[in-house]
Amino acid sequence: MSTPSTVDRAFEAALYDTGHATLDTGASLLAADPASDTELARRGEEFVAAAWRRGWQPADVVRLVRRDLDDPHVRLLAALVRAQAPRDRARGPRWRAQLDGLPGEAPARTDRFSHATAVLELYRLLLRLPALEPLEETAAPSGAAARPESRMLTRVRALLAKAEATGFPQEAEALTAKAQELMARHSIDEALVASRAPAGAAAAAPGACRIGVEPPYEQAKAVLLDAVARANHCRAVWNEPFGFSTVVGFEADLDVVELLYTSLLVQAQTAMTKAEAAQRAGGRKRTKTFRQSFLAAYAHRVSTRLTAAARTQLTDDLLPVLASRDVAVTDRLDRMFPETTTTRLRGVSDDAGWTEGSEAADRARVDPRRPLT
């Protein structure tokens, strides 16, 4: 009969040392004792719960495991997260969406030793996760109705998906412009409704979410996300080691930032593929520096256009409302990140890539708001 000591001995051998020999020792102990499986799974759920207490969220851990390990580890993690969820405390809608988006079931086992090795490799990673800034989802003000966002966001996603898929630039422009109009109207309506809440009612507070900034060329992508965030009354802080940016803002604006950033990334990738094909047709060989310069120029030019577009939507009646919200966002950001540093883009040295990226950004629809009338 097994006791937890089998798992304890395996952990002592494998989790606190990064060597392959110690990993093999731990895996051998677990593989030889099938009765230890239940305890091993329970310990894994404890590691997951500890990650949540340190500020991690399901999508964050999935992204890191996918980057540093392999697909079987991702599926093992997803199974652990699902198993732990019923014992977790109540979470907000963003957390629920991350649970719904988890990968499929864990892969079928090949042999006990290989399975135990994968489990220990995953637990090694979970054990070493550092603390992150907590992203508590803000509760709705007392007595407030649920945000009527689902239908609008569904329409926006459908419009952007069509804009990204069409091969006709004019159609893409029209679809993206309509999506941006819906997002702008929704964000402004949210701000005005909040400003007119009865005296004494609990005021909504800024929230925060993490958005993955995936390699390659993650610096340029982080710049693009920062531009989208600032244009929509949010602020972004990039965590390069873990591949995400934390975006701080009011909930409606966070939704806009994620949707618009994702769409612009797709548009940039499509434009870059076409630019590379044209360069190859002209006899020029494109390189990593071309792509890095292209995306850097795209992000720089989109930032300029977003800033200009954001200014055009300001009216006298909106200025006090938006200024108050900007102060609240900055205060939340400063409390979450009392110390930040700036960085400069590296590897931008291809003139053709910069030119093509700037022109592609000029063709992108980035004017997300129009003046109120």
Side-chain angles (χ1 to χ4, degrees):
M1 178 176 179
S2 173
T3 68
S5 63
T6 301
V7 176
D8 290 334
R9 287 185 289 121
F11 282 6
E12 184 177 356
L15 293 194
Y16 309 104
D17 190 314
T18 58
H20 285 293
T22 59
L23 185 67
D24 289 348
T25 299
S28 296
L29 289 168
L30 295 172
D33 187 1
S36 68
D37 291 355
T38 300
E39 176 68 13
L40 183 64
R42 187 186 68 79
R43 297 288 190 94
E45 293 177 36
E46 290 178 354
F47 284 135
V48 166
W52 304 163
R53 291 193 295 273
R54 293 199 291 272
W56 290 78
Q57 296 195 349
D60 304 325
V61 185
V62 168
R63 184 168 50 247
L64 187 63
V65 172
R66 182 174 285 120
R67 185 192 73 180
D68 292 352
L69 298 173
D70 297 309
D71 184 66
H73 301 88
V74 175
R75 295 182 180 277
L76 287 170
L77 170 66
L80 282 177
V81 172
R82 289 192 186 94
Q84 188 272 339
R87 287 181 285 281
D88 198 10
R89 65 178 176 80
R91 306 280 186 172
R94 292 183 183 279
W95 190 284
R96 170 52 55 188
Q98 292 179 39
L99 294 181
D100 292 342
L102 287 170
E105 296 299 321
R109 294 187 185 184
T110 51
D111 59 82
R112 289 191 57 80
F113 179 80
S114 297
H115 175 76
T117 300
V119 168
L120 291 174
E121 288 171 334
L122 174 62
Y123 289 6
R124 273 183 175 180
L125 185 148
L126 295 176
L127 181 66
R128 288 166 172 77
L129 292 177
L132 295 177
E133 301 78 14
L135 303 183
E136 297 298 334
E137 293 187 58
T138 56
S142 178
R147 290 168 51 220
E149 65 179 17
S150 297
R151 183 175 298 177
M152 187 280 296
L153 290 179
T154 298
R155 290 178 64 193
V156 166
R157 288 191 181 96
L159 288 166
L160 291 176
K162 290 180 180 178
E164 294 155 12
T166 182
F168 301 98
Q170 289 184 333
E171 182 184 10
E173 281 192 11
L175 291 165
T176 306
K178 179 60 177 177
Q180 290 164 343
E181 179 181 321
L182 288 173
M183 290 188 292
R185 186 74 260 169
H186 181 66
S187 178
I188 290 171
D189 288 347
E190 289 271 340
L192 292 175
V193 167
S195 71
R196 295 166 183 163
C209 68
R210 296 191 185 105
I211 298 177
V213 181
E214 306 288 353
Y217 320 117
E218 53 268 39
Q219 274 196 325
K221 294 175 182 177
V223 170
L224 178 62
L225 177 53
D226 181 74
V228 174
R230 288 180 181 274
N232 289 282
H233 311 292
C234 298
R235 298 284 298 279
V237 176
W238 182 35
N239 185 319
E240 183 175 8
F242 293 117
F244 62 77
S245 283
T246 301
V247 182
V248 180
F250 286 86
E251 289 298 323
D253 296 327
L254 294 177
D255 294 334
V256 169
V257 168
E258 188 165 12
L259 286 170
L260 185 54
Y261 169 68
T262 302
S263 180
L264 286 171
L265 270 186
V266 173
Q267 293 183 51
Q269 183 63 46
T270 300
M272 185 169 65
T273 300
K274 291 181 179 178
E276 285 191 300
Q279 290 289 324
R280 285 194 298 271
R284 297 189 61 189
K285 194 177 198 181
R286 293 299 91 209
T287 63
K288 178 180 178 180
T289 57
F290 174 87
R291 293 186 288 273
Q292 173 76 5
S293 299
F294 181 101
L295 289 174
Y298 186 92
H300 175 77
R301 182 60 182 154
V302 162
S303 176
T304 301
R305 296 188 64 201
L306 281 172
T307 301
R311 289 187 182 132
T312 65
Q313 58 102 26
L314 296 178
T315 59
D316 290 342
D317 60 328
L318 273 177
L319 282 173
V321 175
L322 297 179
S324 174
R325 290 166 78 88
D326 285 344
V327 169
V329 169
T330 300
D331 179 67
R332 173 72 188 269
L333 182 89
D334 290 343
R335 284 186 282 111
M336 288 182 66
F337 302 97
E339 296 183 7
T340 59
T341 59
T342 58
T343 187
R344 299 182 65 182
L345 278 171
R346 301 182 295 269
V348 181
S349 59
D350 190 297
D351 290 340
W354 183 271
T355 299
E356 294 279 3
S358 297
E359 292 175 353
D362 284 336
R363 292 190 297 270
R365 294 291 300 197
V366 298
D367 47 332
R369 294 197 165 107
R370 61 179 182 178
L372 292 180
T373 56

